[in-house]
Amino acid sequence: PVRYILPVPGRSQRLCVVTAQGSIYRLAAEGENWRLQGQEALPHGMEPQEMALVTRSQASPLLLAITRDGVLMSDDYGANWTLAAQ
């Protein structure tokens, strides 16, 4: 099941979807197919309590996952994660 639907800020036709299993899909443009960004992309055992996409000037949006263990961030729509804070 889908857990989060996140619109890409400033790009109303782009979406990022996170499933309950932690898989992340991205719709790049209207009429395109969904792309799997990462199967069970979040580190093992880190279940997101909240997620958000944040715009940055001259860079791709930052995907944030707030977990009980800290804040994870990804600048490639969830393909890779960095633990930003604990």
Side-chain angles (χ1 to χ4, degrees), residues 44-62:
H44 180 70
M46 291 190 140
E47 183 178 324
Q49 295 173 333
E50 292 292 332
M51 295 195 72
L53 271 170
V54 179
T55 57
R56 302 181 296 168
S57 62
Q58 300 181 357
S60 63
L62 190 63

Side-chain angles (χ1 to χ4, degrees), residues 23-61:
S23 297
I24 299 173
Y25 294 84
R26 181 171 67 109
L27 181 63
E30 186 177 345
E32 286 191 6
N33 293 325
W34 287 95
R35 289 188 221 162
L36 178 63
Q37 291 297 114
Q39 183 76 27
E40 297 181 13
L42 293 169
H44 180 70
M46 291 190 140
E47 183 178 324
Q49 295 173 333
E50 292 292 332
M51 295 195 72
L53 271 170
V54 179
T55 57
R56 302 181 296 168
S57 62
Q58 300 181 357
S60 63

Side-chain angles (χ1 to χ4, degrees), residues 3-4 18-24 38-51 63-67 71-74 78-82:
R3 181 132 187 214
Y4 298 97
V18 182
T19 68
Q21 294 80 22
S23 297
I24 299 173
Q39 183 76 27
E40 297 181 13
L42 293 169
H44 180 70
M46 291 190 140
E47 183 178 324
Q49 295 173 333
E50 292 292 332
M51 295 195 72
L63 180 59
L64 299 175
I66 300 161
T67 72
V71 177
L72 296 166
M73 63 181 189
S74 171
N80 297 288
W81 292 92
T82 301

